[in-house]
Amino acid sequence: MGKDLKGKELGIGYTQRKDGLYQARFNHHGKLYCIYDKKLKDLRQKVLDIQTQTNNVSENPLNTIILDDLFEQFYQTTIIPFAKANTIKSVKIDYNRCNSEIGELRVVDIKAANLQIKINQLMEDHYKPSTIIRSFKILRRIFDYAIDNDIISKNPCKNITLPNNQNIHQRVLTVEEQDKFIESIKGDFYYNILMVLLSTGLRIGEACALTWDDIDLENELIKINKTLITGSAVNNSTMFGEPKTHNSIREIPITDDVKGYLTNQLKQQKELRVKLGDKWRGKGEFSNLVFTTRYGSPIIHKVILTHINNIVNNINYLELIQAKVEKRDPIYFSSISPHVLRRSFATRCFEQGLKPKNVQKILGHSSIQTTLDIYVHVIGDELKNDLQKFKIQSNCVTSV
């Protein structure tokens, strides 16, 4: 029987060290354990957890399964039968981002410390907090699946520290940046789709999936009823899929500017079809796409993202030259994505007084909160600017 420093009996295998820590030494399933804790109650719980977990290993054959194999089982039974194609693809990408080193470990052996090390590595590799959080949401679901199948008793994801995503500023073009961006894409092959994105707030997949029968120029409406999925987990091809949510199926009004971009796109496409003849690649279900590559193929997200990056690089190159001429430090244009164009459209809507509920309908947000997050950001900037103009007293004189 072990004792504490005051001589009180603690039970077999338990003692209290001179530094005050409680210690437990015990043999379980042929393995010697020696663990410590400041509190006796917490130490006893640790011992119980180890005994429970190792007992499960001997009773449940699934307890020898490694994380990669459990993910595949989870993926095949829980994700593929019920999720949309885009989700099926993204779940695998999110898991593969974080499975190196831990994927080969037995699920019962994975602790919070293993996961925290992985989080820290992703942060060092400069992944965005939102990206890391998304990957670990998948891990949490996998470990919950393990609990449901009596493989483990506790989810190790509950004891990890994720990067803070609350204060990450989501990029939005200022009016000046937007004007500069528009000026830089004049005459560009993808000018029409970029301007439609900036003028409607469409998701990139929605814009790339538009067919001419979705465009009602007479009634000035665009019908959003599908999205373009690339690299589908089902057959690794490009295909049409269902929109992100039920609210994504919508009709949005066509402004005069957007009508101009669509009319120009129709003219440009007709000229290309005549020029390429049999070499035009728009066939089958993709024969009626509004926006295509130069050869009539569907435009995938990566093509637009790469093109936007090239535009930004050119803006910054010209800025560097101008700064040298003017003998000043260059003011670089930060990188942007198609989603930045969507958020910029929403921001312009709020700046011009549109109601949040109407903006929600245009954007196809399933939750008004998503729309309000952008609204609060815009109003916050306005309040800050207004407060800078506010003075209690025009001339403050200090009395002695």
Side-chain angles (χ1 to χ4, degrees):
M1 283 277 201
K3 297 181 179 181
D4 64 12
L5 295 178
K6 295 180 180 179
K8 182 181 178 180
E9 291 185 351
L10 303 175
I12 297 174
Y14 290 91
T15 56
Q16 187 177 23
R17 306 190 326 176
K18 290 182 179 180
D19 61 3
L21 278 178
Y22 289 96
Q23 172 183 295
R25 290 173 62 87
F26 61 100
N27 191 301
H28 193 65
H29 287 304
K31 184 177 179 179
L32 180 64
Y33 292 86
C34 185
I35 57 177
Y36 306 89
D37 204 286
K38 292 180 180 180
K39 295 181 179 181
L40 181 60
K41 180 181 177 181
D42 292 343
L43 182 63
R44 292 190 192 279
Q45 184 61 50
K46 285 182 179 179
V47 172
L48 182 61
D49 289 343
I50 290 172
Q51 291 173 338
T52 302
Q53 207 168 61
T54 52
N55 281 339
N56 285 340
V57 172
S58 61
E59 295 167 4
N60 186 352
L62 277 177
N63 283 311
T64 59
I65 195 169
I66 63 172
L67 183 62
D68 279 346
D69 290 343
L70 183 67
F71 166 74
E72 199 57 39
Q73 187 181 111
F74 162 80
Y75 189 63
Q76 295 292 335
T77 60
T78 307
I79 301 299
I80 289 180
F82 307 106
K84 293 179 181 177
N86 257 352
T87 302
I88 292 171
K89 176 187 174 185
S90 65
V91 166
K92 178 153 276 191
I93 291 172
D94 288 336
Y95 174 74
N96 288 340
R97 186 181 298 115
C98 63
N99 73 328
S100 61
E101 299 169 10
I102 61 174
E104 294 296 320
L105 295 178
R106 289 193 315 170
V107 175
V108 295
D109 293 331
I110 297 175
K111 308 298 179 190
N114 302 112
L115 303 180
Q116 192 64 58
I117 289 170
K118 191 68 216 173
I119 291 169
N120 297 345
Q121 288 174 347
L122 292 173
M123 291 175 67
E124 289 172 3
D125 290 338
H126 304 294
Y127 281 96
K128 294 179 181 177
S130 58
T131 302
I132 298 172
I133 291 169
R134 196 168 62 245
S135 286
F136 275 81
K137 280 183 178 179
I138 298 300
L139 278 183
R140 182 184 289 270
R141 290 181 63 186
I142 295 168
F143 287 118
D144 282 341
Y145 177 81
I147 292 172
D148 292 341
N149 286 277
D150 298 321
I151 300 172
I152 55 176
S153 58
K154 292 171 62 177
N155 192 322
C157 285
K158 291 183 178 179
N159 299 312
I160 58 177
T161 302
L162 289 165
N164 185 3
N165 195 37
Q166 299 262 328
N167 299 320
I168 299 299
H169 175 67
Q170 296 196 54
R171 178 94 162 93
V172 171
L173 293 176
T174 64
V175 174
E176 293 77 13
E177 285 178 323
Q178 185 167 306
D179 289 343
K180 181 179 284 190
F181 179 78
I182 292 172
E183 185 63 30
S184 69
I185 61 174
K186 286 181 178 177
D188 189 281
F189 177 79
Y190 290 115
Y191 175 81
N192 294 321
I193 186 173
L194 292 173
M195 290 306 299
V196 166
L197 289 172
L198 202 50
S199 306
T200 63
L202 288 179
R203 298 179 178 93
I204 182 62
E206 294 171 342
C208 292
L210 285 176
T211 48
W212 284 111
D213 52 322
D214 297 325
I215 310 299
D216 186 347
L217 290 176
E218 184 177 343
N219 294 306
E220 300 184 332
L221 289 172
I222 298 177
K223 302 170 188 175
I224 313 301
N225 49 44
K226 55 188 175 296
T227 189
L228 194 69
I229 301 167
T230 57
S232 164
V234 177
N235 55 18
N236 199 34
S237 64
T238 300
M239 57 190 250
F240 289 126
E242 295 180 8
K244 188 173 182 180
T245 66
H246 176 72
N247 287 59
S248 299
I249 301 173
R250 63 200 189 277
E251 292 183 347
I252 61 174
I254 295 177
T255 62
D256 290 341
D257 286 342
V258 173
K259 182 184 283 190
Y261 306 139
L262 292 171
T263 302
N264 290 339
Q265 178 63 19
L266 183 60
K267 179 183 177 184
Q268 175 181 285
Q269 192 176 94
K270 283 181 178 178
E271 291 173 353
L272 277 173
R273 283 176 181 269
V274 172
K275 181 180 178 181
L276 292 174
D278 292 340
K279 293 180 181 179
W280 181 259
R281 295 174 184 169
K283 310 291 183 184
E285 64 178 340
F286 300 130
S287 62
N288 201 30
L289 287 173
V290 174
F291 300 110
T292 67
T293 65
R294 295 175 185 274
Y295 294 95
S297 300
I299 300 174
I300 62 175
H301 179 276
K302 187 176 180 181
V303 168
I304 291 296
L305 181 60
T306 301
H307 196 71
I308 289 175
N309 286 338
N310 291 338
I311 291 167
V312 171
N313 288 338
N314 188 57
I315 291 173
N316 287 333
Y317 174 72
L318 295 176
E319 166 63 14
L320 180 61
I321 293 174
Q322 188 65 27
K324 285 182 178 179
V325 171
E326 298 175 1
K327 296 181 180 180
R328 59 171 174 81
D329 291 333
I331 303 171
Y332 289 119
F333 198 102
S334 300
S335 61
I336 59 175
S337 67
H339 192 68
V340 171
L341 303 185
R342 176 172 163 84
R343 285 183 62 85
S344 299
F345 165 78
T347 301
R348 299 292 94 80
C349 286
F350 289 131
E351 288 172 349
Q352 294 177 43
L354 271 71
K355 296 178 181 178
K357 197 67 181 175
N358 290 335
V359 178
Q360 180 195 7
K361 290 178 181 178
I362 295 170
L363 295 176
H365 284 154
S366 58
S367 168
I368 186 65
Q369 187 57 50
T370 307
T371 315
L372 289 175
D373 286 344
I374 305 173
Y375 179 68
V376 169
H377 168 72
V378 174
I379 296 303
D381 284 348
E382 286 184 3
L383 287 174
K384 184 177 179 181
N385 291 335
D386 287 346
L387 197 58
Q388 294 288 353
K389 304 171 188 175
F390 178 75
K391 292 182 180 180
I392 297 286
Q393 194 173 324
S394 58
N395 294 304
C396 185
V397 180
T398 304
S399 59
V400 179

